[in-house]
C-alpha cells in the first residue's frame, strides 16, 4: 500500500508540474468558462425568467457542470498522447502500480478544474451571483462539483485509451455527453417538459449534480416534487459513486493492456 | 552458458496475422544480440512480450530466470526499455524525467536524485538537465530515454530500433554509449533494420522475417553468407555491359550482375576495398568508359536476398546509417 501511495504521489506530482509549465493550458481552462459565466449570466439572465428566482442565480450551477463536462476531451487527449509517445509503455515496463498513471492524470486534471472554478466564481460574483448557503455549503457544493469533475476525468481517461485518434478523443465525449447535458436541469427548469421526459431529466446524473450545487449554494432549484428533484444531494453522490465504480476498474484494466494506436 | 534472456516458441497473433510465429532466442548474460528484420517482421512485438507489455499467445520466455507472464513484477525490476519513440515527458526537465522514473523504480527519493545526476553526467546531459526535455534535440532526447531505462541499473536492456530518425553523429554517439553499458555487464536485446547497426553493436544476430528467426550467428558468419562490400560500376555506354562483366569476373568473388537497364554492373569485391584498383585497371585494359564507381555495403535487403533468394524488404527512401 505504501508503494502504491508513492507511485500515486509521484504521478500526481508530474501533473502538477505540468500545470505550472503550461500557462496556455491554464488560460484555456479559465478564459472560456469565464466567458460562459458572462454570456449565460448576463445575456440569457436578462432574457429568461424562471418561476422561483433569478435565472442568473439558477444558471451558475448549470455552467459549472457544463464546464466539468467540456473538459473531458482534454483528459482523453492527454491520455492518448501518453500512449502515442511511448510513455505508457515505459510506465508499464516499471514495477509500479497500474493505477498510478491514471490517478496522476485524473487528480491533476481535477486540480486544474478547481482553478477553473475559482476563476468562474470570481466572475460570477462580479455579475451579482452569490453563494447563499454559508461557507460550509459553498465548500460542500464545490466538493460535489469537483467529484463530478474527477468522475468525468476518469471517463475521459478511459475514452482516451479506447479511441484511436485525437479527433475521436475530442469529439466522442461531446457526442456522448452533450445530449445528457441538454436533457437535464443544467440550463432550464424542467417544469415545461412532458411527464415522461421530465422523469428522465430529473433522474439524470447531471441534473442531480447541478441540483446538489444549487441546494448547497442556496440558489434557486429546478422545481419539481419528485423524489429525484427533492433529494439531489444523495442522488448526485450515489450516481457519482456508481459511475466511478464502473469506470475506474475498467480504465485500470484497459491500462494494463493499453497499446498506442 | 548463463542466459539473461531465453525465449522458446514465442507466439502472438493479431486477428488473422501471426505477428510472431514461434520465436526462439537465447541471449548470454553480458552480451548484445541484435534482432534484424524489416518492418512488420515481428521485432517490436517480440520485444513487447519480453518486456511484459504484451501477453504471448504461446511459448514461454524468461528474463534472468523469471517468467515474463507469471513473474512480470520480478521481470520489471530487472529490465530497462527504450522503445521506438523517445519516451520522455516533454513537459518535464531532463532531471525531473529521470527522478520520476527513479522513484517509480523504488529507488527512494534521495537515491533517485543521485542516480539522475550520475546518469545526466554519463550521457552528457548535465548542461541541459534543467531544461524542459521538449526543447531537446532528437539525439539528446534519445540519450535521456536511454538514461531513463538505466536508472535502476537493470540487468537486461531492450533497445527497440534505438537510432531510428537520428542523424549519423548522434547515432555514433548512442552506439558508443550502448557499448559502454555492455562493458559494465549489461545484457542487451537490440532490434534494428540496419545490418550495419547490428554489425557494429551485436555479438550475435538473429534475422527475423514474418515472425520467425530465419538465420542466426555472429555478424561475421552472417556477412560471410551475404558477401562483403559490393562495387557498382556505372557505364558510359549501355552496350559495354557484357564486356565489362567478363573483364571483371576475375576480380569478383562471385558472378558480376548487370542491372536491367544495362548501365550498372555490380560485383562482390574480392579482397575488400583494395579490389577497387584491380577492378579499375581491368576496366581500363578492356577499354571501357565508366561514369561512376560506388562501393556499397551490404544492406538488410542483401541479407534477405542471400538468405531467402527473395527481395523481402520494401524499397525505401530511408538511408542506411553510414
Amino acid at each position: 500500500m505504501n508503494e502504491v501511495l508513492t507511485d500515486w504521489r509521484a504521478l500526481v506530482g508530474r501533473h502538477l508540474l505540468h500545470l505550472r509549465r503550461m500557462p496556455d493550458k491554464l488560460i484555456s481552462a479559465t478564459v472560456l468558462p469565464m466567458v460562459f459565466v458572462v454570456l449565460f449570466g448576463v445575456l440569457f439572465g436578462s432574457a429568461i425568467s424562471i418561476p422561483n428566482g433569478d435565472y442568473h442565480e439558477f444558471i451558475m450551477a448549470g455552467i459549472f457542470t457544463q464546464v466539468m463536462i467540456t473538459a473531458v476531451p482534454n483528459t482523453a487527449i492527454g491520455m492518448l498522447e501518453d500512449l502515442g509517445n511511448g510513455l505508457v509503455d515505459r510506465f508499464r515496463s516499471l514495477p509500479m502500480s497500474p493505477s498510478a498513471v491514471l490517478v496522476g492524470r485524473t487528480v491533476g486534471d481535477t486540480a486544474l478544474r478547481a482553478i477553473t472554478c475559482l476563476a468562474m466564481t470570481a466572475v460570477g460574483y462580479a455579475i451579482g451571483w452569490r453563494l447563499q448557503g454559508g461557507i460550509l455549503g459553498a465548500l460542500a457544493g464545490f466538493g460535489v462539483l469537483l467529484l463530478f469533475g474527477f468522475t468525468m476525468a476518469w471517463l475521459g481517461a478511459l475514452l482516451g485509451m479506447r479511441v484511436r485518434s485525437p479527433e475521436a478523443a475530442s469529439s466522442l465525449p461531446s457526442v456522448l455527453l452533450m445530449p445528457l447535458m441538454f436533457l437535464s436541469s443544467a440550463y432550464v427548469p424542467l417544469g415545461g417538459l412532458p411527464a415522461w421526459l421530465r422523469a428522465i431529466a430529473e433522474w439524470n446524473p447531471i441534473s442531480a449534480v447541478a441540483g446538489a450545487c444549487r441546494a448547497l449554494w442556496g440558489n434557486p432549484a429546478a422545481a419539481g416534487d419528485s423524489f429525484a428533484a427533492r433529494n439531489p444531494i444523495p442522488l448526485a453522490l450515489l450516481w457519482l459513486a456508481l459511475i466511478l465504480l464502473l469506470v475506474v476498474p475498467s480504465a485500470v484494466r484497459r491500462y494494463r493492456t493499453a497499446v498506442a494506436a | 552458458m548463463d542466459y539473461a534472456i531465453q525465449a522458446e516458441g514465442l507466439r502472438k497473433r493479431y486477428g488473422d496475422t501471426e505477428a510472431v510465429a514461434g520465436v526462439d532466442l537465447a541471449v548470454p548474460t553480458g552480451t548484445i544480440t541484435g534482432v534484424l528484420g524489416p518492418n512488420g517482421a515481428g521485432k517490436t512485438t517480440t520485444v513487447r512480450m519480453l518486456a511484459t507489455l504484451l501477453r504471448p499467445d504461446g511459448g514461454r520466455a524468461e528474463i534472468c530466470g523469471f517468467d515474463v507472464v507469471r513473474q512480470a513484477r520480478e521481470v520489471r525490476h530487472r529490465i530497462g526499455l527504450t522503445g521506438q519513440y523517445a519516451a520522455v515527458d516533454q513537459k518535464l526537465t531532463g532531471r525531473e524525467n529521470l527522478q520520476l522514473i527513479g522513484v517509480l523504480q523504488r529507488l527512494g527519493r534521495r537515491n533517485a536524485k543521485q542516480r539522475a545526476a550520475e546518469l545526466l553526467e554519463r550521457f552528457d546531459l548535465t548542461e541541459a538537465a534543467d531544461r524542459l526535455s521538449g526543447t531537446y534535440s532528437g539525439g539528446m532526447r534519445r540519450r535521456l530515454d536511454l538514461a531513463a531505462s538505466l536508472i535502476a541499473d537493470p540487468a537486461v536492456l531492450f533497445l527497440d530500433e534505438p537510432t531510428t530518425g537520428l542523424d549519423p553523429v548522434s547515432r555514433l554517439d548512442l552506439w558508443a554509449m550502448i557499448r559502454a553499458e555492455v562493458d559494465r555487464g549489461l545484457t542487451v536485446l537490440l532490434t534494428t533494420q540496419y545490418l550495419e547497426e547490428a554489425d557494429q553493436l551485436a555479438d550475435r544476430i538473429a534475422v527475423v522475417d514474418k515472425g520467425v528467426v530465419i538465420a542466426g550467428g555472429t555478424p561475421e558468419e552472417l556477412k560471410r553468407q551475404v558477401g562483403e562490400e559490393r562495387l557498382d560500376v556505372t557505364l558510359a555506354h549501355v552496350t559495354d555491359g557484357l564486356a565489362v562483366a567478363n573483364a571483371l569476373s576475375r576480380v569478383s568473388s562471385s558472378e558480376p550482375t548487370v542491372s536491367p537497364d544495362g548501365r550498372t554492373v555490380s560485383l562482390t569485391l574480392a579482397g575488400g576495398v583494395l579490389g577497387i584498383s584491380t577492378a579499375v585497371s581491368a576496366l581500363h585494359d578492356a577499354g571501357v568508359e565508366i561514369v561512376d564507381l560506388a562501393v556499397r555495403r551490404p544492406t538488410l535487403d542483401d541479407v534477405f536476398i542471400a538468405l531467402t533468394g527473395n527481395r523481402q524488404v520494401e524499397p525505401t527512401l530511408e538511408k542506411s546509417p553510414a
Side-chain angles (χ1 to χ4, degrees):
Chain A
M1 198 60 214
N2 206 0
E3 292 192 338
V4 174
L5 286 180
T6 306
D7 292 344
W8 286 6
R9 198 166 52 217
L11 267 306
V12 169
R14 169 190 176 217
H15 287 279
L16 295 183
L17 276 174
H18 283 184
L19 286 188
R20 290 223 309 256
R21 296 285 155 71
M22 292 189 295
D24 52 323
K25 199 169 173 179
L26 273 184
I27 289 168
S28 69
T30 49
V31 171
L32 201 60
M34 291 194 289
V35 171
F36 279 135
V37 172
V38 174
L39 187 75
F40 280 96
V42 179
L43 233 60
F44 295 1
S46 64
I48 301 175
S49 64
I50 56 167
N52 47 346
D54 270 348
Y55 185 71
H56 80 258
E57 290 278 299
F58 172 83
I59 192 61
M60 279 301 288
I63 309 168
F64 275 113
T65 45
Q66 173 200 303
V67 165
M68 295 298 134
I69 286 174
T70 48
V72 170
N74 298 340
T75 313
I77 290 169
M79 202 62 220
L80 196 68
E81 278 175 1
D82 275 2
L83 277 172
N85 63 22
L87 264 175
V88 167
D89 276 357
R90 154 139 299 148
F91 288 136
R92 284 183 52 221
S93 76
L94 301 178
M96 60 183 277
S97 145
S99 60
V101 168
L102 297 166
V103 168
R105 178 162 295 283
T106 50
V107 170
D109 281 359
T110 307
L112 181 61
R113 278 156 222 189
I115 297 171
T116 305
C117 285
L118 276 177
M120 291 171 69
T121 304
V123 176
Y125 261 70
I127 63 163
W129 172 61
R130 290 295 176 266
L131 289 159
Q132 289 160 354
I135 183 89
L136 284 181
L139 288 178
F142 282 113
V144 172
L145 196 61
L146 288 175
L147 184 64
F148 178 58
F150 181 67
T151 309
M152 290 297 107
W154 273 95
L155 189 67
L158 178 61
L159 285 173
M161 291 185 287
R162 288 227 156 240
V163 298
R164 303 246 136 201
S165 69
E167 289 76 22
S170 60
S171 64
L172 194 64
S174 319
V175 173
L176 291 177
L177 295 169
M178 275 303 147
L180 266 182
M181 180 85 213
F182 288 118
L183 196 62
S184 78
S185 64
Y187 301 114
V188 285
L190 302 171
L193 293 179
W196 63 274
L197 201 57
R198 180 170 168 176
I200 295 174
E202 279 177 346
W203 284 92
N204 181 340
I206 297 173
S207 300
V209 171
C213 291
R214 286 175 185 132
L216 290 161
W217 292 340
N219 290 148
D225 49 12
S226 68
F227 176 82
R230 276 183 291 116
N231 298 284
I233 302 169
L235 187 61
L237 293 177
L238 213 66
W239 265 125
L240 296 181
L242 191 69
I243 298 170
L244 282 173
L245 225 56
L246 284 174
V247 173
V248 173
S250 54
V252 173
R253 209 164 39 236
R254 184 78 190 172
Y255 171 85
R256 284 174 185 275
T257 56
V259 283
Chain B
M1 202 181 290
D2 186 18
Y3 294 103
I5 305 172
Q6 268 185 301
E8 280 166 29
L10 217 48
R11 292 174 178 280
K12 186 73 194 181
R13 164 180 289 281
Y14 293 114
D16 284 342
T17 45
E18 191 135 56
V20 175
V23 160
D24 300 325
L25 280 174
V27 181
T29 303
T31 67
I32 307 189
T33 289
V35 174
L36 179 67
N39 275 330
K43 303 189 299 288
T44 298
T45 307
T46 303
V47 165
R48 292 178 65 84
M49 287 191 281
L50 294 174
T52 76
L53 297 183
L54 199 61
R55 213 187 156 91
D57 292 337
R60 45 184 288 283
E62 283 181 2
I63 307 293
C64 304
F66 293 100
D67 187 277
V68 295
V69 176
R70 284 177 293 111
Q71 294 165 299
R73 222 180 159 77
E74 293 299 326
V75 170
R76 288 175 189 151
H77 273 293
R78 288 165 177 81
I79 60 169
L81 171 67
T82 292
Q84 288 183 25
Y85 311 96
V88 297
D89 187 331
Q90 307 207 3
K91 291 157 214 142
L92 299 183
T93 66
R95 192 187 303 279
E96 287 164 349
N97 262 293
L98 294 186
Q99 286 176 2
L100 174 64
I101 303 299
V103 167
L104 295 172
Q105 282 275 21
R106 314 255 174 263
L107 294 183
R109 203 165 280 273
R110 185 176 312 166
N111 250 332
K113 218 170 182 159
Q114 194 189 330
R115 276 293 286 168
E118 274 171 42
L119 285 162
L120 286 165
E121 182 73 42
R122 193 192 301 171
F123 287 92
D124 203 13
L125 290 166
T126 303
E127 242 171 78
D130 297 308
R131 262 167 45 202
L132 294 192
S133 64
T135 66
Y136 286 13
S137 69
M140 291 163 78
R141 221 173 289 160
R142 278 301 172 129
R143 297 204 306 265
L144 181 63
D145 190 32
L146 188 57
S149 321
L150 295 170
I151 193 133
D153 241 331
V156 172
L157 177 66
F158 296 104
L159 293 171
D160 192 10
E161 304 198 2
T163 62
T164 300
L166 284 192
D167 61 83
V169 176
S170 310
R171 183 171 275 144
L172 288 177
D173 277 354
L174 204 70
W175 284 354
M177 287 166 174
I178 293 167
R179 250 183 247 117
E181 293 306 320
V182 175
D183 290 343
R184 288 169 211 270
L186 187 68
T187 306
V188 175
L189 187 79
L190 162 92
T191 76
T192 182
Q193 303 190 37
Y194 305 126
L195 180 60
E196 196 199 348
E197 184 159 84
D199 182 21
Q200 285 284 326
L201 288 176
D203 302 302
R204 294 187 64 81
I205 297 178
V207 182
V208 293
D209 183 40
K210 300 189 177 113
V212 291
V213 178
I214 57 170
T218 65
E220 281 64 39
E221 288 166 350
L222 202 65
K223 278 195 297 187
R224 215 168 298 140
Q225 277 181 280
V226 177
E228 298 293 323
E229 283 88 358
R230 297 182 71 80
L231 181 68
D232 288 346
V233 182
T234 309
L235 310 171
H237 307 291
V238 174
T239 46
D240 294 342
L242 266 179
V244 174
N246 283 332
L248 290 178
S249 56
R250 62 193 173 84
V251 299
S252 175
S253 58
S254 66
E255 191 68 21
T257 56
V258 184
S259 69
D261 65 3
R263 288 193 72 92
T264 309
V265 177
S266 183
L267 62 139
T268 316
L269 278 177
V273 186
L274 285 179
I276 295 174
S277 59
T278 327
V280 172
S281 58
L283 288 170
H284 185 77
D285 294 346
V288 176
E289 202 179 328
I290 59 176
V291 179
D292 193 24
L293 274 177
V295 178
R296 203 158 58 80
R297 300 224 158 80
T299 62
L300 180 57
D301 214 13
D302 299 317
V303 174
F304 275 91
I305 291 170
L307 289 174
T308 66
N310 290 323
R311 176 172 285 262
Q312 299 279 341
V313 192
E314 295 288 313
T316 61
L317 295 173
E318 217 174 342
K319 287 207 177 77
S320 76

